[in-house]
Amino acid sequence: MAKKFIFDPRDLQCAKWMFGLIKTLNPVQKEPSFEAWAHEIRLMRTVDGRTYQEIATVFMFANKDSFWCSNILSPKTLRRQFDRLVIQMKHSQSQTNRLKDAVTRTYENFQRKFNHHRP
């Protein structure tokens, strides 16, 4: 007897969207059971309390990251690693913001010195 998966049509859309991103990384990726993927997305929403936006944001981060893009290849692994990915995503954003702040301060210092020494 085949396993019965429970999901919303939007969960299925999300599953197909995720697979589309994975296909951009590996065009010959084997098509998954979209029903199983949609079921896992429903669990992220109903059990874990994630929104579609949170799921999409974290998946896109994983999909663009050089390490995670080859490790998060399904909603099931996304669900299992979700908290770790959120922490890493926030850490990356924090590093980026610190770098932007440092560059801005350096530029402002340069501008002050340049304008101060101008004839």
Side-chain angles (χ1 to χ4, degrees), residues 38-56:
H39 178 78
E40 205 62 43
I41 291 166
R42 181 191 63 84
L43 292 174
M44 279 191 267
R45 288 186 312 97
T46 61
V47 175
D48 304 338
R50 316 286 187 203
T51 65
Y52 287 114
Q53 184 174 358
E54 290 170 325
I55 292 167

Side-chain angles (χ1 to χ4, degrees), residues 31-96:
E31 194 167 287
S33 163
F34 286 114
E35 291 81 13
W37 278 32
H39 178 78
E40 205 62 43
I41 291 166
R42 181 191 63 84
L43 292 174
M44 279 191 267
R45 288 186 312 97
T46 61
V47 175
D48 304 338
R50 316 286 187 203
T51 65
Y52 287 114
Q53 184 174 358
E54 290 170 325
I55 292 167
T57 299
V58 173
F59 184 74
M60 284 190 299
F61 168 78
N63 192 257
K64 292 176 184 176
D65 183 83
S66 61
F67 172 77
W68 288 111
C69 70
S70 61
N71 289 289
I72 306 297
L73 297 174
S74 72
K76 188 171 192 161
T77 55
L78 176 65
R79 184 176 183 216
R80 187 171 42 246
Q81 299 293 340
F82 203 93
D83 291 326
R84 180 173 281 130
L85 285 160
V86 167
I87 291 167
Q88 188 167 347
M89 188 171 69
K90 286 181 180 180
H91 180 72
S92 290
Q93 288 170 344
S94 175
Q95 281 184 318
T96 299

